[in-house]
Amino acid sequence: MGIAEDLAALRERGLAQLAAISEAEVLEEWRTRYLGRRGELTQVLRGLGALPPEERPAAGAAGNRAKEALEAAYDDAVERLRRAALAAAIERERVDVTLPGRTPQVGQVHPTTRILREITAIFARMGFDVADGPEVEWDYYNFEALNIPPDHPARDMWDTFYVDAPPSERGAMLLRTHTSPMQIRVMDRYAPPVRVIVPGKVYRYEAISARHESMFYQVEGFAVDRNITMADLKGTLARFARALFGEERRVRFRCDYFPFVEPGAEMAIDCHLCNGAGCRLCSQSGWIEILGAGMIHPKVLQVVGYDPGVYSGFAFGMGPERIAMLKYGIETIRLFYANDLRFLRQLRMLDGAVARADAGGR
Ligand code: PHE
């Protein structure tokens, strides 16, 4: 067989094989086999030297054409495989943008958190700092330093959970029954003037009912400086009540007793449901009590090393859940911590209702 026939056969076989290749490694083997330095084409072309000189140019030209044809086909195959790999990758990573999305679960701010934010924001605007402190407390801070000595009958005002732990020089360990111990902790640490509010959890050993939980929140507030009077207390708290419940609210102060204030007071707002006429919400009285307050007792100032001859201050404490109940029309405090999502989601709707009622006027 002549070189021309060998070349034609080689070219045909090479092209046929190439067309069937779909993998890069096989393609590389093909290239080595046909176009490599020791490949089949080279072998055939070696035979050129053995030809009679007059036949060489034609055979050489045929060899070049075969080589070019194989190389061009090889380049095409490389491109074909590259496209195929790309198409496969695109298919693999395909995203079906028409699939319905997964709806994210949107949470709600808990009613307690929400009212705490409203309350703290109002006092922050009036220049109060926010502090927090331990829920597990010593008898000293919860009672003694607040002018409630052991065996004082006023202790009955707070049914206490005691912690089974050895007492320290600050007395027994307990769960704080109010946020008032923070008056002592803050004043122990900072020299006057102080203006602080303290939102936090408190605990009472009580039978649970529609109005009582054994854990609930309080917001304590106090201000001590020179020349602070009952007028500052009344002005600050009236401003607060109107900011929270509406500028048209009236406030009422009456005497009350807490061992750590003198005089002591309770503040009520006129009922925002009946506008003071008397209804179920205000037990027909027209008034709703929302907090306890008073001028800080000189003995308390003395305990923290403030001179009561120079400094005076007021303090107040309120129950934010009760305030949220009034503001949002919630009937029982137990809903707050029962983790019932239906209740937690309802606040958004309530918000709308409250806003509509406000807009409609009374
Ligand atoms: N700590 C009191 C209570 O829990 C409330 C209060 C605080 C009263 C500050 C007066 C001043 O009942």
Side-chain angles (χ1 to χ4, degrees), residues 146 157-158 177-181 183 202 204 216 218-222 256-258 260-261 264-265 291-296 314-318:
L146 289 165
M157 291 171 75
W158 300 276
T177 60
H178 51 178
T179 41
S180 300
Q183 291 184 30
V202 303
R204 302 235 179 128
F216 53 95
Q218 279 194 339
V219 177
E220 189 85 9
F222 51 98
D256 201 351
Y257 172 74
F258 302 95
F260 35 90
V261 287
L291 54 81
M295 299 305 291
I296 297 178
F314 64 82
F316 55 88
M318 68 184 93

Side-chain angles (χ1 to χ4, degrees), residues 157-180:
M157 291 171 75
W158 300 276
D159 293 300
T160 310
F161 283 114
Y162 286 92
V163 175
D164 197 2
S168 73
E169 74 279 9
R170 317 234 118 162
M173 193 187 277
L174 46 78
L175 302 185
R176 68 180 178 189
T177 60
H178 51 178
T179 41
S180 300

Side-chain angles (χ1 to χ4, degrees), residues 30-71:
W30 183 95
R31 197 191 62 75
T32 318
R33 175 164 169 204
Y34 286 95
L35 297 172
R37 281 207 292 138
R38 288 178 227 283
E40 293 196 23
L41 187 62
T42 314
Q43 304 293 338
V44 176
L45 293 181
R46 279 219 180 106
L48 280 178
L51 289 177
E54 64 278 14
E55 289 179 22
R56 280 182 209 162
N64 277 337
R65 280 196 302 279
K67 187 173 181 224
E68 276 161 21
L70 289 170
E71 278 174 352

